[in-house]
Amino acid sequence: MDNDKGFCAMNKAITDGLVFMPPAFENGLDVWSSGDGTPGSPTYEGAANAALVVADQDFSSCLELQKNTTVTKLRYSGETPLLPGCYLRIRARVKAMSGNLPSVRIAAWAGGAGGAHVPGVIEVGKSVALTTYGKVEVIEAFVGTGVRTGVDMSWGTSALYGHFGIDLTGANGGVVRIDDIEIEDITSAFLRTMMDWVDVRDYGAMGDGITDDSVAVEAADAAAAAAGRTLLFSAGTYFLDADVTLEAPARFEGTLTMPVNRRIAMTRSFDLPTYADAFGDEETGFKKAYQALVNFADHDTLDLCGRRIEITAPVDMQAAVDNKTTYSSRRTIRNGQFNVIAGSAWDTVSVSSQASYSTGNDMLLTAVANIVNVPVGALVEGVGVGREVYVTSVNVGAGTLTLSKPLYAAAGTQVYTFRRFQYVLDFSGFASLSNMILDDVQIECGGEASGILLAPSGSIFQLRDSHILKPKDRGITSIGLGCQGMLIDRCQFVSNESPLRSQDRMSIAINTNANDVKIRDNRAVHFRHFAVLGGNGNLIAGNHWFQGDQETAGLRVAGLVVAGTDVKSTINGNYVDNSFIEWTNEYESDPDFANQFSFGGLTITGNTFTVNDVAPWFSWIVIKPYGSGHYIRGFNLSGNVFRSLNGPVDRVEKVDTTFATLVNFSMRNIWVGENTFTNVSEVIANPVLLQHDQVTEATVWTVDPGPYLPFGGWARNVDTVVAEGMITGPQNERRTDMPYVEVEQGAAKQQVTLNWALPSKGRVNIKARMDNPN
């Protein structure tokens, strides 16, 4: 047999030479049984109640049979094959001749492997009562492997053959004549297309939503794959209570239902439209497709094929997978849209609980009241809590919560508020997830939901060429170290808070806790913060974030928050629009300087800074120490453009002294230069080159570089003093002596003095700086 066996896609008597038709009665009655037709059962050869008639006016040659038992059987003792996907019609023409009028039905015996009887299947057709002598009645029934409309005897795939014939029922004594019994392949009557698909029903699938159809589906799939055909799930609901892998392309007129812990991998049609068709809706289809994506190696990408998925509740990505809490192989979800449907499932969960905090164990809250109700992933709010601190894990037995970052001034006991936002894609159920990629997707939050919640641990999460639109609270949230090495490229983040004043907005596009994050070529509109960065080794490049409003002389908030001291990070080539960069140490449980590194390792180069309609005390670069004793040690602010519209600003930089000032005598290795300033009252540089003209003779010349020195720094060093032209005395006599320099002069220590041996006048150029260079 070739690969067509198992499909009956054409008449098997033609394609495979199978013989279905039993021999005529006139060829001998020794193959016609009065029992089941099985080996050893009695035949009608020489039977007293059976005779051949050779010249009947309706039938020509036929069998005359007298009914003499409760059920008088007539069975062909040959084994008529029944192949998966085949449908047979058994037909007999019968007429009553005399005596009591019986009823007639097609009947059979189902045989399986080794000649065993197949139990539990229907083996009789519809009964037809004979009502008139001499009237020819056509009795027929249909048998096949699949459960289909019009099939009288559905035997499944366990039946390999049958002994077919008729039964006479009713009163005994009647005599009937029976024309030769016909058995023919009529598969074409049940299979609407003959060449390109295999129906799972033809392999015993019930499609009733109750019976486990897994075995039948796998058998049909094997046959379809072998012949290069499509696997068809015709109308019905197919319950699969096993993990199933389909090697043939699948097409669905019916739907699937599976327990959460069961998986289906459609290896030749692995995309969202197929899974959505399979499960009847995009949301369930997406979950099952993602489950397959992380459980099978056949594909590394789930293509959403441009489809929009209507999301009615947060998608718990780990619960969808069910059998894994850690995963690290590269997987991609791409090319589609998630559209949030409003409902109570998106409501923020808010819990207030008393808890204690100690700087000796600064990643824990202890003695947490009502801890069972505090959800993992909740934002922590309270006195002395920095921005974007989340609950990473909950230990109910110990009464403790693990935090994503330490708290800067929360030692002791207080009542905290825990707010758990609801995210469209929630990966927080994974203990660790790495190498997950979202590519060319749009998450349409509609002001109802937040976007993406990362796993508490993992690395190299990627979001690229995607949009997160109108998140209610957050775009991308990290509650632990699942953002290690995260890449966010060429994405757009659009706030739901554009009509609000800048200071009234609450949503945040991105936060991170771990290191080595790359955020590049993105656009963010009207968030409170574009990003809050809690790790080191970041590269922020080519982004445009703007946070303006319609206020005149309005307030502005930080677009980028760099929450760490020794951050070894680069901010390059960005468009910083109506916001500022804020550098803090709010993630230190003891924020006073002790033996840790202070503020350093930050490079801000080649950016465009612009602002309009703000108060003059606005600044683009703000350092905010949360404790005393800190200073700057390694900072580069160069090659940037600063421009203010609709009014000047005083300076581009400042120190926010809400908690503490910087220690000016410890400043070192600071480079501020080659920037351009438009409508900025005071330009800055370090080192700064000043030209000083002394028009009256004096032995002490006071030079004031203070306004030019960044962050209110002291005039700590003078690199060069160069006379421009002749230095002269009272009689214009030439002075040839070299002055000595004194630094940190004046009340603010921002002046330097040049000290001459004799009263002198003239012009000098000096280069002063507010740091030690190394």
Side-chain angles (χ1 to χ4, degrees):
M1 298 280 179
D2 61 18
N3 284 336
D4 281 335
K5 183 173 181 180
F7 297 97
C8 279
M10 296 181 66
N11 189 296
K12 302 302 287 186
I14 298 173
T15 59
D16 291 337
L18 296 181
V19 177
F20 296 112
M21 191 71 71
F25 295 127
E26 65 184 12
N27 291 336
L29 299 181
D30 57 333
V31 295
W32 291 96
S33 172
S34 58
D36 291 324
T38 55
S41 60
T43 70
Y44 281 104
E45 180 71 24
N49 64 329
L52 288 173
V53 178
V54 296
D56 183 86
Q57 62 181 3
D58 295 309
F59 303 149
S60 185
S61 175
C62 64
L63 173 64
E64 186 172 274
L65 189 62
Q66 183 180 28
K67 184 179 184 306
N68 60 3
T69 58
T70 301
V71 178
T72 299
K73 299 180 178 181
L74 174 65
R75 301 286 190 276
Y76 174 47
S77 60
E79 296 180 356
T80 302
L82 183 65
L83 304 178
C86 275
Y87 293 86
L88 304 179
R89 176 170 62 190
I90 299 92
R91 173 180 287 176
R93 296 199 301 159
V94 182
K95 62 181 178 181
M97 301 303 296
S98 63
N100 293 321
L101 294 170
S103 294
V104 187
R105 66 190 181 196
I106 300 297
W109 185 89
H117 181 239
V118 178
V121 298
I122 297 173
E123 296 176 297
V124 296
K126 297 180 180 64
S127 184
V128 176
L130 303 183
T131 59
T132 305
Y133 299 118
K135 180 183 178 183
V136 176
E137 298 283 358
V138 177
I139 316 298
E140 64 180 11
F142 299 89
V143 63
T145 56
V147 178
R148 289 180 170 278
T149 301
V151 176
D152 301 285
M153 293 176 266
S154 298
W155 286 359
T157 55
S158 296
L160 304 179
Y161 64 92
H163 296 295
F164 296 103
I166 65 171
D167 284 342
L168 300 179
T169 64
N172 290 338
V175 176
V176 300
R177 288 186 179 178
I178 307 161
D179 197 2
D180 291 331
I181 293 177
E182 300 173 355
I183 301 176
E184 60 180 326
D185 179 0
I186 59 156
T187 302
S188 60
F190 290 92
L191 303 186
R192 291 161 290 174
T193 305
M194 300 305 296
M195 298 303 295
D196 69 339
W197 50 258
V198 175
D199 195 326
V200 295
R201 286 188 178 271
D202 297 328
Y203 287 76
M206 299 298 293
D208 58 9
I210 300 173
T211 304
D212 182 7
D213 289 327
S214 302
V215 173
V217 167
E218 289 183 325
D221 174 67
R229 297 181 178 177
T230 299
L231 183 66
L232 174 65
F233 291 79
S234 54
T237 300
Y238 298 88
F239 174 60
L240 305 182
D241 194 15
D243 297 335
V244 174
T245 298
L246 302 183
E247 300 293 347
R251 179 156 56 93
F252 292 87
E253 294 175 356
T255 57
L256 302 180
T257 179
M258 302 179 75
V260 172
N261 66 321
R262 296 302 189 184
R263 304 177 293 277
I264 181 167
M266 292 183 264
T267 62
R268 297 298 179 268
S269 46
F270 187 72
D271 53 46
L272 176 65
T274 302
Y275 276 82
D277 290 345
F279 290 93
D281 68 86
E282 290 92 349
E283 190 169 4
T284 305
F286 171 71
K287 293 176 182 178
K288 299 305 285 187
Y290 180 70
Q291 181 186 44
L293 181 68
V294 301
N295 273 286
F296 297 93
D298 300 81
H299 293 83
D300 66 0
T301 299
L302 171 58
D303 193 346
L304 306 182
C305 296
R307 291 280 289 268
R308 184 174 75 174
I309 307 171
E310 306 289 353
I311 301 295
T312 59
V315 181
D316 186 332
M317 301 297 280
Q318 189 280 326
V321 173
D322 182 69
N323 66 323
K324 297 181 186 296
T325 58
T326 63
Y327 194 75
S328 60
S329 296
R330 179 184 180 274
R331 290 294 183 267
T332 302
I333 299 170
R334 65 174 307 275
N335 186 26
Q337 176 182 342
F338 298 89
N339 186 54
V340 169
I341 304 300
S344 60
W346 304 108
D347 293 346
T348 298
V349 175
S350 184
V351 177
S352 293
S353 294
Q354 180 176 285
S356 298
Y357 183 74
S358 170
T359 58
N361 198 352
D362 62 7
M363 296 295 283
L364 284 182
L365 288 182
T366 61
V368 182
N370 193 30
I371 191 171
V372 70
N373 291 319
V374 178
V376 170
L379 178 70
V380 182
E381 297 174 321
V383 176
V385 180
R387 287 164 287 195
E388 297 301 274
V389 176
Y390 289 89
V391 176
T392 302
S393 64
V394 176
N395 187 330
V396 175
T400 61
L401 302 177
T402 301
L403 304 171
S404 61
K405 287 292 183 181
L407 312 182
Y408 68 85
T413 300
Q414 64 171 294
V415 174
Y416 294 88
T417 298
F418 303 93
R419 290 196 298 141
R420 178 56 155 84
F421 309 130
Q422 307 302 324
Y423 295 80
V424 176
L425 301 180
D426 186 343
F427 294 94
S428 65
F430 287 97
S432 177
L433 180 67
S434 298
N435 299 304
M436 186 71 234
I437 302 170
L438 299 180
D439 176 25
D440 193 20
V441 300
Q442 178 168 311
I443 302 177
E444 178 57 75
C445 300
E448 295 287 333
S450 295
I452 301 168
L453 183 60
L454 302 181
S457 179
S459 61
I460 322 299
F461 181 91
Q462 298 183 49
L463 181 70
R464 62 196 188 200
D465 300 305
S466 297
H467 290 195
I468 296 181
L469 305 181
K470 296 188 175 182
K472 178 183 177 183
D473 299 293
R474 299 293 186 268
I476 301 174
T477 295
S478 173
I479 63 170
L481 301 179
C483 55
Q484 175 69 38
M486 179 168 65
L487 308 175
I488 303 177
D489 294 297
R490 301 178 303 279
C491 296
Q492 174 153 255
F493 300 83
V494 177
S495 164
N496 192 50
E497 300 178 310
S498 289
L500 301 182
R501 298 184 305 171
S502 176
Q503 65 268 30
D504 295 333
R505 297 168 186 152
M506 301 303 294
S507 59
I508 297 173
I510 304 165
N511 87 286
T512 69
N513 301 301
N515 300 332
D516 305 334
V517 172
K518 281 74 175 178
I519 302 176
R520 299 170 293 201
D521 302 325
N522 302 286
R523 181 176 183 267
V525 183
H526 293 157
F527 290 87
R528 183 174 185 87
H529 305 304
F530 167 48
V532 178
L533 305 178
N536 301 328
N538 303 301
L539 175 60
I540 313 300
N543 305 284
H544 182 188
W545 62 88
F546 43 100
Q547 297 173 206
D549 55 29
Q550 301 303 312
E551 293 277 294
T552 300
L555 299 176
R556 294 292 181 264
V557 296
L560 188 65
V561 178
V562 181
T565 50
D566 188 44
V567 294
K568 61 172 185 179
S569 295
T570 298
I571 302 170
N572 172 253
N574 301 281
Y575 190 162
V576 183
D577 191 338
N578 276 281
S579 66
F580 56 89
I581 296 173
E582 184 177 14
W583 192 5
T584 83
N585 66 323
E586 62 197 81
Y587 290 155
E588 293 183 350
S589 59
D590 184 359
D592 292 339
F593 179 73
N595 56 3
Q596 77 270 41
F597 289 117
S598 196
F599 289 95
L602 182 61
T603 297
I604 303 175
T605 60
N607 302 281
T608 297
F609 293 86
T610 188
V611 74
N612 58 275
D613 297 302
V614 295
W617 38 261
F618 168 86
S619 294
W620 284 285
I621 309 296
V622 178
I623 298 180
K624 184 177 182 178
Y626 276 65
S628 62
H630 284 281
Y631 55 93
I632 304 172
R633 43 160 298 281
F635 176 60
N636 182 350
L637 179 68
S638 61
N640 301 286
V641 175
F642 297 94
R643 183 181 184 186
S644 175
L645 302 174
N646 302 334
V649 298
D650 295 336
R651 303 180 65 84
V652 303
E653 94 307 340
K654 68 180 178 183
V655 178
D656 185 331
T657 59
T658 300
F659 296 102
T661 61
L662 293 176
V663 178
N664 287 320
F665 67 76
S666 298
M667 301 286 195
R668 61 190 177 94
N669 193 21
I670 298 169
W671 172 257
V672 178
E674 301 173 351
N675 300 293
T676 64
F677 306 87
T678 301
N679 220 10
V680 177
S681 299
E682 193 62 71
V683 301
I684 62 170
N686 187 68
V688 59
L689 180 64
L690 285 88
Q691 189 175 79
H692 178 75
D693 288 307
Q694 185 72 30
V695 297
T696 59
E697 300 85 355
T699 55
V700 178
W701 296 5
T702 299
V703 183
D704 189 6
Y708 302 98
L709 297 176
F711 303 110
W714 295 349
R716 297 188 61 209
N717 286 285
V718 174
D719 289 347
T720 60
V721 178
V722 177
E724 184 177 323
M726 187 186 303
I727 304 298
T728 62
Q731 305 302 319
N732 291 325
E733 68 274 27
R734 180 177 178 177
R735 300 292 194 207
T736 59
D737 60 314
M738 181 71 185
Y740 69 87
V741 175
E742 289 184 313
V743 297
E744 300 178 12
Q745 300 299 297
K749 298 187 177 183
Q750 291 186 317
Q751 298 174 340
V752 300
T753 59
L754 303 183
N755 297 272
W756 302 86
L758 297 171
S760 303
K761 65 180 184 296
R763 170 179 290 179
V764 295
N765 294 302
I766 72 167
K767 184 181 287 186
R769 60 190 309 142
M770 44 81 72
D771 66 328
N772 280 329
N774 50 49

